[in-house]
Amino acid sequence: MNFFFIGIAIYLLTAVLSMMVKESRKGLVTACGTLPGGIAVLIPCVKSLLTGKAYPLSFTANYPIGQVHLLLDPFAAFFVMVIAIGSIFCAMYGSGYMKQYHGKGKAVSAHFFFLICLFVAMLLLPVIRNAIVFLIVWEIMSLSSFFLVIFESEKKEVFDAGIFYLIMMHVSVILLMAGFLVLIRIAGSADFADFHNVFQAGAYRFTSDLAFVLLAAGFGIKAGFLPLHSWLPEAHPAAPSHVSGLMSGVMIKLGIFGILLMIMVLGVPSLWVCYTFTAMAVLSALAGIFYASAQDDVKRALAYSSVENIGIIGIGIGVAMLGMAYKSPVTAMIGLSGALIHLLNHSIFKGLLFYGAGAVYMQTHTRNLNSLGGLFKQMPKTGAAFLIGSLAICGLPPFNGFIGKFIIYYSMLSCKGINGESLLIAAIASFALLAFVGAVSVICFTRLFSTVFMGTSRDRHIESAVEVPFAMTFPMTLMAALCIAGGILPLVLLRIVEFPAAIITGGKNVPGITAEFHDPLYVISMISAGLILLTILLFALRLKLLRHRPASVSGTWGCGYDNPSSRIQYTASSFSMPFLDVIKPVMQREDTAVGVKGLFPLKAVFNFSVKDIFETVIIRPLGQGTVFLLTKLSWIQDGHMQHYLFYGIAFLILSLIWIIFW
Amino acid sequence: MKILITVLMIIFFPFLISGMIRRVKSVWGGRKGPSLIQPFFDFSRLMKKSEVISRTVSPVFLIAPSASLAATICAAMLVPMAGKSAILSFNGDFIMFCYLLALGKFMLVVSAMDTGSSFEGMGSSREVTFSALAEPGFFIIMGSFAWISGCKSFESIFQAIYNSGPASGLLILLAIIGLFIMLLTEGGRLPVDDPETHLELTMIHEVMVLDNSGPDLGFILYGAALKVFLIASLIASLATPTGIGFVPGLIIFTAVVTAEAVFIGFLESVMARMRMTHIPQFVFMITALAIIIFFIVMMELGKAL
């Protein structure tokens, strides 16, 4: 625990230092400070994850907070580890990415300060075991990330996206406050351990379900579960790329953390809550990947893919909850291990993909898939890293994404033997839909990667793009290496999540339960290594065969047409069109077509846009309703200071009456 | 010994299957047709050639065929063949099988997009769409089988499914039909894709490899034939009865695979390719069959409870 606070102190010191040096050095200072800080924080985490030890700490704060307990157990350590690793990569990449804004009168100083604020708030959250302090730090996290999102606030769309994000975060906080208030009212204390003692026995079934639903909704907004996901595709494209990488890779995982924390504290909720949660998770995964494969903006597509991955993690958690509810510790343990491994992996490859998209944006100043193309030759390192990230996020072996998905599939297969047909139906449905989601993510990411990096450039402006500086390629290379390492060494990943998963499920003898799939993972790691080796061998064979036969270079075969332009390439929109046609009934798609007419046609235009159905059906009407109601109440805020003073006094008198007579 | 035979089958059967399909089509069309091992001669001829490379491509285009073939060969190690035994078998191997095939597809699609040709883009986009629609069906079939048999690997599921109750024959029949549609989809055969069409616009699989040549094209052709063989051997080992020993198993396996090749050849002789817009409905048939299988499994399990 000492190293943890030393690390936090280094972070804070870096924040102060970064404000004092000149603009061009701020990034470097942040990166150099985050590295030792992150490593110091990682030391107790690794220790706790490997041994299962917990490091408690408590102090007494002033009224109304009271006694505050901090606890770095394996569960908290797992999340702290994800955040610390994410922060190191983010600061490194950010120091290179922010160079484009130097000397332009931008608030670079404030940016780095809030970036470190966000790191610290996120690092502290998992160890706090007191509801009130938790909410305070949660709010610091939301606010500092808001300031990071609106870095380019002179652009209207960025500012709008930022405000939308701020509102959604506060809806989330209100739900969290309501949920925690219910718990505090019954437990008589704000301490998580007291909640646990009061609710674990299964008493207060209704109250604990109510609190769980409120809190899961609040945390679900942060995590990006359906139908509350719509801030992700707005805020991620607006933020600078290292921030979107951090938010998507790490920050939304704290929403997952909150849900797991509630399972741990309140015990598993009623069956209908478990089933609803699993259904929402499956829907998130499906809708997320459907929308992702229809976007023309690289970062919007990546944001929707985050919704998908949060859904996949949610499926793992849902299986675990059902396993706990049906008293099958094996299913619960396997499902949760899969969810946690996928969470860890997603924090790496999603960060990598956002950083890759950021590198492309920095060099080409566009995120529009239909004007990119052919960048692999100009930016080979970024391209290779993005390719590895895409393969990993599709869950393909030999990369880390496969491991998490495999264990989640495995958890559903292990549902057999549990009494209950509804569980079997739920399991087979999520089994098949997860497979479908995986296959659609192949569509989505072949489309993303190949329209950005393959072929030739679709726009003359991007032909001048060159490889990004070392400060940006280095973290991307490291993350790509981690993606491969995770695929070859799945047992290491399993070892990391065993203790946290055991703590959440409340299981005792930990490594025994997961021993069942040690063998499969062992074979998988051999096949993955063999696959890489075989690829190298085949490639070497090919080189050997072609050694004395020089290749002749010519144009691409255009079916007899020998004067092709780069504009005739297949575009991102056309690539996903066959699939979008298949799923047309569930997507709100608007096509506008001006066809070819007459003997001498002038111009043909085809446009299509996909609207997020959840935004048009749920979020917008809610927003309009709120505005309608609040305008009815606007007479309260009439601009007279006297009236405002009167409201204050009236409130005080009313509370006095309430205290006396209740 | 068993492993040696399996390896030999993985090496030679893909060529033989393509040869047999071609031969059946020739005979049906009133021609004599090429030798059964002509695909092998084609392959070795390609290995001896030099390459023509488009000037738009990046290194990804050069690596992709090797990576794709490597993934398919790794997938081949998981498939139970003669005597229902695979080279490698572990719990959940059918999940990895699917994802390895997807990896091969991913690499080929990306390399096709690297040429910047609109035709290859068209083929890629169709390839990923249709195979995505085949995926859920396969998983429902395997998941239901895993539950009713209580096993989690290809080998043990296929062993145990024979003794899984009165409906096992029906289950196997439905699964074979489903897998056969998947074979036509993934293998790029009629009525989903016409491998011998002459118009690039109507192709799916063939159009993606227009710009590959030499050893790369050889790798791709062998990989595609291997994929057909793999799904064909899934069907064949599902059709083999359990517990009859290795040699009878080998004979039945070979016979079923041959029968499938002949049947594909027959289908391709009498059918035309479907309209592109109708293919999704055809591919969804796998999911429909799979859901029927799942209902039967539910009823069986419900009896057991």
Side-chain angles (χ1 to χ4, degrees), chain A residues 207 249 299 358 367 380 485 559:
Chain A
T207 324
K299 282 169 91 180
R367 296 192 305 261
C559 304

Side-chain angles (χ1 to χ4, degrees), chain A residues 130-159:
Chain A
N130 180 298
I132 297 172
V133 183
F134 186 90
L135 282 176
I136 294 170
V137 179
W138 183 269
E139 189 61 19
I140 294 175
M141 173 178 83
S142 294
L143 283 180
S144 45
S145 57
F146 164 69
F147 287 118
L148 293 174
V149 169
I150 58 160
F151 177 68
E152 291 183 277
S153 57
E154 71 278 359
K155 293 184 186 162
K156 189 178 178 303
E157 72 270 16
V158 170
F159 193 72

